């Protein structure tokens, strides 16, 4: 998910319909906070949750990781473990 912007507000239904059509096992939202238009207010950063049969993970905003190589490396390790199903 691209950083939350005004443009996204009108595309939330399209985003969710894409998830429904593609049926991914995991959806990673790299935006720091979940846009309210998604209707997924129960999601918390770095706390995987199953919603409507899909595992959602919210990560810190990608811009917050610039210049933070250790934090970035930790996030990559975390995401690899999520994707591997551990």
């Amino acid at each position: 998910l691209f950083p939350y912007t005004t443009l996204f507000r009108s595309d939330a239904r399209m985003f969710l319909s894409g998830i429904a059509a593609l049926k991914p096992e995991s959806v990673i939202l790299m935006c720091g906070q979940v846009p309210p238009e998604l209707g997924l207010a129960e999601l918390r950063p770095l706390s995987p949750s199953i919603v409507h049969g899909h595992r959602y993970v919210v990560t810190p905003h990608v811009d917050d990781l610039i210049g933070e190589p250790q934090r970035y490396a930790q996030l990559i390790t975390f995401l690899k473990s999520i994707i591997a199903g551990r």
Side-chain angles (χ1 to χ4, degrees):
L1 176 65
F2 291 98
Y4 181 63
T5 64
T6 305
L7 176 63
F8 182 75
R9 292 180 187 161
S10 63
D11 293 334
R13 285 183 14 190
M14 184 179 291
F15 178 79
L16 293 172
S17 69
I19 291 171
L22 295 172
K23 298 176 179 34
E25 182 178 309
S26 297
V27 178
I28 301 170
L29 304 170
M30 299 183 80
C31 55
Q33 65 182 28
V34 179
E37 292 79 10
L38 290 179
L40 300 169
E42 67 273 15
L43 298 181
R44 297 289 172 253
L46 303 176
S47 181
S49 299
I50 304 293
V51 181
H52 306 298
H54 304 287
R55 178 179 36 220
Y56 285 84
V57 180
V58 179
T59 72
H61 192 289
V62 293
D63 289 347
D64 294 339
L65 299 172
I66 295 172
E68 300 273 350
Q70 183 176 0
R71 197 167 160 215
Y72 175 76
Q74 290 171 335
L75 178 62
I76 294 301
T77 300
F78 171 74
L79 291 174
K80 283 180 179 180
S81 71
I82 295 296
I83 292 168
R86 291 186 231 142

